[in-house]
Amino acid sequence: FVLNTFYCKCIVNIKKLKRESNIMRYSNLAGAEILEDYQTFAQMIKFRQTEAKKSVIIKISEVSHIEHLKQFCECYARIVNIFPYNTIDNNRFVLMECSSDKDVEALRKIAVCKASPEYAHCVTPFFLYKPRFKLHINQKTLNKDNYEYYSNFETPNLDEINQSLKKIESVSNQMMFLYNALRITELNIRLRFYTATQISYYLSQLFINLSVVPFGSSVNGFGQIGCDLDLLCKTNISSDDKSGWKKFLFMTQVIPLVDRNEQKHFLDVVGTIMRTCIPGITDVKKILEARVPIIKFRNLYTNMQCDLSSTNMTALHMSELLYLYGQLDRRVKPLVFTIRKWARNMNLTKENPGQWITNFSLTLLILFYLQTKDILPSLTSIKIFSDKSNTIDNFDWFLKWKNTVSSNDESLSKLLCEFFEYYSFFDFKTQGLCLRDGITKVKKDVSPLYIYNPFNPSLNVSKNVTISELLRLVEHFQRAFHIMVYSTEKDTLVKLINFDLNLTINNGFNNKNKSEFINEKFIPNVTDTNNLQKMEKNIIK
Ligand code: CTP
Ligand code: MG
């Protein structure tokens, strides 16, 4: 539901505009943490989805219109929050939260339902706001500072980060700063759920048992500004079939799609519907031949780059597990954010997936390391300590678990240094990481990096990582460890996240050639470089 281009016109001469207490200002430092403190994953998702259903997005042309827009909308609905923002293509919007979905309905009624030619084939109508009032703006009395625009869609500039870090004395505090500066903001989280809810609304008009939910870094607590919005189609199969006659229409019921071909066909249809029917959706690309078929698109109004996949519930469970780990100890998120930032700046992770480690696999490396330090429990201990309901969505088990392990109170700085040390000397040649049991296990195949999928131990999460990429990763672990040991406290983090070509890496090459080194350190039972190249090709395949 979009109230488009607000030409706010009102005959009222506004004498004084005061800042309203219920218009919230958010900075990176404020945010979702208060909520996260007491919400389980399921509660958090439900809370955010409800919030999104009570919200509308309105396009405006001038910052000065916001106050009038608010006054106008208040004649029809109860407004709780207003968040103004700019998209990167410099369009101005307002995310308006009402007190209930009935208020949203009321606003919907005053909006004019107008199918513009570009949405002529809409399955549901596209709402445009019809200007009704002439607005007289008294520039003298208008206090534009009442409303700030937020454009938290781009990652903060590295120079600014460096300047700020230099002002902070300890590495641990610098890591906290980095976490607060990089994590997605409250507004951004709301826009992510709004985007999912909007697509869900449109698709459910055709596929009655379908909903679209966010997963991945948007919801697992490790999302950074600018991260993509991962969405998946969730099917709700209820025993009492309310679908009635609709069942006879083409694909009105969607069953969970296990078969990859079915997923491809389903996403093909969904991609076409989205391109043609859903307002604000652009750049739709169907990537159906990938291992996991997806639809890529951008939402112009919320400025979200989205990946929509089919009914893959494991990915959602994985998000829940990561969310839980992020909640269990206050050091987890700052550590993950710092290491992710470091890896991105070293070009170890990239925007697109490929032969290199992904943010997700890197996060699992960090979580596994924290398991070895008794800071996080293994998945098995979560199960043992959780109640018999077979769910991890319960904090009681955690208290029980906490009482059984030694309390580790190492500083963030020490954990960071030891993380780099741990993986600088890790036996990647024979060992894989098993987060399910919290221990290393012998690798099941020759993949250079082996991370057992916590929910399906027959799968390797990091199968895509090639030998040369793993080598690069280990080189950088060693370099980072070196920096952490030899730099002064204040310089450490700046040196870490800024690539310095002049810094030599003590990687063990000194006395050996590269292939000899790779064979010795990473490859089980490989003696010549031809084999090495063949193996790398196979892995890429
Ligand atoms: N996922 C998974 N198994 C994989 C890869 C991904 O279960 N081998 C799931 C995880 O829940 C992951 C989500 O898919 O969080 C999204 O993957 P991706 O976008 O690659 O990672 P994010 O965690 O979202 O990180 P980023 O910020 O880089 O998008
Ligand atoms: Mg993602």
Side-chain angles (χ1 to χ4, degrees):
F1 171 36
V2 177
L3 285 168
N4 207 9
T5 319
F6 183 76
Y7 302 107
C8 204
K9 294 176 182 174
C10 185
I11 25 178
V12 190
N13 184 5
I14 297 163
K15 294 212 171 119
K16 209 169 187 182
L17 290 173
K18 286 182 188 157
R19 184 178 171 182
E20 297 284 334
S21 58
N22 61 349
I23 308 291
M24 295 176 73
R25 286 160 180 251
Y26 272 90
S27 73
N28 277 336
L29 288 166
E33 194 148 271
I34 311 147
L35 291 175
E36 286 172 7
D37 274 352
Y38 65 84
Q39 283 183 319
T40 63
F41 185 73
Q43 284 170 334
M44 180 274 290
I45 295 280
K46 188 136 198 275
F47 176 85
R48 292 295 184 183
Q49 283 174 333
T50 312
E51 196 175 62
K53 281 184 189 148
K54 293 188 297 181
S55 304
V56 294
I57 282 182
I58 303 166
K59 191 175 178 198
I60 53 169
S61 46
E62 289 294 329
V63 66
S64 54
H65 291 171
I66 299 172
E67 188 61 36
H68 306 109
L69 168 69
K70 180 174 169 276
Q71 286 179 7
F72 172 72
C73 290
E74 272 175 344
C75 300
Y76 302 89
R78 284 161 301 162
I79 313 299
V80 179
N81 278 316
I82 293 182
F83 300 87
Y85 64 94
N86 274 358
T87 57
I88 38 173
D89 35 16
N90 254 336
N91 280 313
R92 288 168 176 170
F93 289 90
V94 158
L95 176 73
M96 188 183 274
E97 186 195 352
C98 302
S99 73
S100 75
D101 36 6
K102 287 206 179 84
D103 292 296
V104 170
E105 265 316 304
L107 286 181
R108 199 187 283 260
K109 279 188 189 135
I110 59 160
V112 173
C113 163
K114 183 170 147 192
S116 70
E118 61 186 303
Y119 295 110
H121 306 293
C122 283
V123 281
T124 52
F126 176 52
F127 293 92
L128 290 170
Y129 179 75
K130 185 181 173 187
R132 291 180 176 199
F133 301 98
K134 233 179 163 93
L135 174 74
H136 172 75
I137 304 168
N138 185 342
Q139 293 294 344
K140 279 184 194 153
T141 56
L142 192 68
N143 181 3
K144 288 185 183 169
D145 294 338
N146 273 358
Y147 300 98
E148 272 175 22
Y149 270 95
Y150 301 109
S151 49
N152 286 318
F153 295 108
E154 286 175 66
T155 319
N157 171 311
L158 187 59
D159 283 341
E160 285 165 18
I161 290 182
N162 285 339
Q163 289 311 318
S164 305
L165 288 178
K166 281 176 188 161
K167 291 181 196 144
I168 305 169
E169 290 293 332
S170 81
V171 175
S172 299
N173 287 344
Q174 289 175 350
M175 290 169 73
M176 283 308 295
F177 166 82
L178 215 50
Y179 164 55
N180 284 316
L182 297 177
R183 68 179 167 148
I184 42 177
T185 58
E186 167 71 19
L187 167 64
N188 207 276
I189 296 172
R190 282 172 182 254
L191 289 174
R192 282 165 196 272
F193 276 86
Y194 183 87
T195 308
T197 307
Q198 191 206 19
I199 296 164
S200 206
Y201 169 77
Y202 281 98
L203 291 184
S204 65
Q205 305 296 307
L206 192 60
F207 307 112
I208 50 174
N209 64 334
L210 193 83
S211 58
V212 174
V213 288
F215 71 104
S217 55
S218 301
V219 296
N220 65 18
F222 298 110
Q224 297 200 359
I225 296 167
C227 68
D228 63 348
L229 170 58
D230 301 296
L231 297 167
L232 66 83
C233 296
K234 197 174 159 195
T235 48
N236 314 306
I237 307 286
S238 66
S239 50
D240 57 325
D241 183 15
K242 295 178 194 147
S243 56
W245 60 272
K246 278 192 167 185
K247 208 159 92 179
F248 298 105
L249 293 178
F250 174 63
M251 283 189 81
T252 49
Q253 277 267 23
V254 183
I255 51 160
L257 304 170
V258 184
D259 179 68
R260 197 171 152 273
N261 257 340
E262 282 177 348
Q263 290 182 2
K264 272 167 57 179
H265 289 137
F266 171 69
L267 283 178
D268 195 7
V269 172
V270 168
T272 307
I273 295 169
M274 288 178 58
R275 180 182 289 143
T276 340
C277 307
I278 305 186
I281 301 295
T282 181
D283 300 338
V284 178
K285 286 190 197 88
K286 298 175 183 178
I287 305 175
L288 304 176
E289 296 310 323
R291 197 173 52 82
V292 180
I294 53 163
I295 310 268
K296 276 191 172 293
F297 61 90
R298 198 160 93 79
N299 185 317
L300 286 174
Y301 304 144
T302 55
N303 207 46
M304 289 295 154
Q305 184 58 48
C306 312
D307 284 354
L308 177 73
S309 57
S310 179
T311 53
N312 171 10
M313 292 309 287
T314 318
L316 198 60
H317 296 143
M318 196 74 87
S319 304
E320 179 173 6
L321 182 66
L322 261 60
Y323 174 86
L324 186 67
Y325 277 139
Q327 300 278 35
L328 293 184
D329 191 286
R330 63 183 169 74
R331 292 165 292 182
V332 177
K333 288 183 193 175
L335 189 66
V336 170
F337 273 67
T338 306
I339 295 168
R340 276 190 177 201
K341 183 70 185 163
W342 161 81
R344 185 72 193 87
N345 286 6
M346 297 305 115
N347 216 17
L348 293 167
T349 53
K350 297 177 191 180
E351 251 171 47
N352 298 317
Q355 303 163 16
W356 37 88
I357 193 164
T358 59
N359 270 332
F360 174 62
S361 296
L362 186 63
T363 307
L364 294 186
L365 284 189
I366 303 164
L367 298 177
F368 177 81
Y369 157 73
L370 292 174
Q371 287 181 339
T372 67
K373 306 281 299 176
D374 276 348
I375 291 173
L376 291 178
S378 65
L379 188 52
T380 318
S381 15
I382 295 178
K383 275 194 182 152
I384 292 171
F385 286 101
S386 66
D387 62 9
K388 292 185 188 77
S389 62
N390 214 7
T391 167
I392 56 168
D393 208 3
N394 179 344
F395 270 98
D396 290 345
W397 65 266
F398 174 64
L399 298 174
K400 292 182 209 159
W401 172 79
K402 263 281 186 204
N403 291 332
T404 65
V405 293
S406 61
S407 58
N408 175 319
D409 57 359
E410 283 176 30
S411 69
L412 272 171
S413 159
K414 189 152 190 282
L415 288 175
L416 182 64
C417 179
E418 286 175 7
F419 166 83
F420 290 128
E421 183 183 17
Y422 182 78
Y423 286 110
S424 293
F425 302 105
F426 188 84
D427 177 15
F428 289 106
K429 181 172 173 173
T430 62
Q431 298 300 303
L433 315 176
C434 176
L435 282 95
R436 183 185 272 238
D437 297 331
I439 49 169
T440 57
K441 282 191 177 170
V442 174
K443 296 203 281 192
K444 278 200 171 167
D445 61 36
V446 292
S447 305
L449 179 60
Y450 206 105
I451 306 174
Y452 287 86
N453 184 318
F455 293 109
N456 185 350
S458 64
L459 296 177
N460 173 13
V461 170
S462 53
K463 203 178 163 70
N464 62 311
V465 178
T466 57
I467 293 153
S468 39
E469 282 299 322
L470 177 63
L471 177 65
R472 225 159 59 78
L473 187 65
V474 175
E475 281 175 10
H476 278 281
F477 283 144
Q478 292 170 351
R479 173 184 177 272
F481 178 51
H482 186 272
I483 292 175
M484 292 239 37
V485 171
Y486 292 106
S487 306
T488 61
E489 175 92 6
K490 211 172 171 184
D491 295 341
T492 307
L493 214 57
V494 174
K495 275 193 184 167
L496 261 188
I497 62 170
N498 289 277
F499 192 82
D500 178 4
L501 272 176
N502 297 325
L503 217 114
T504 52
I505 303 171
N506 179 20
N507 58 11
F509 284 171
N510 305 349
N511 306 321
K512 300 183 178 91
N513 70 32
K514 189 165 178 173
S515 58
E516 220 180 311
F517 178 78
I518 292 174
N519 286 348
E520 195 177 283
K521 200 156 170 63
F522 300 106
I523 315 293
N525 308 323
V526 175
T527 45
D528 69 32
T529 31
N530 287 342
N531 276 352
L532 179 69
Q533 279 157 4
K534 263 187 241 159
M535 201 182 294
E536 190 154 306
K537 271 185 199 153
N538 279 338
I539 289 161
I540 294 166
K541 240 192 249 165

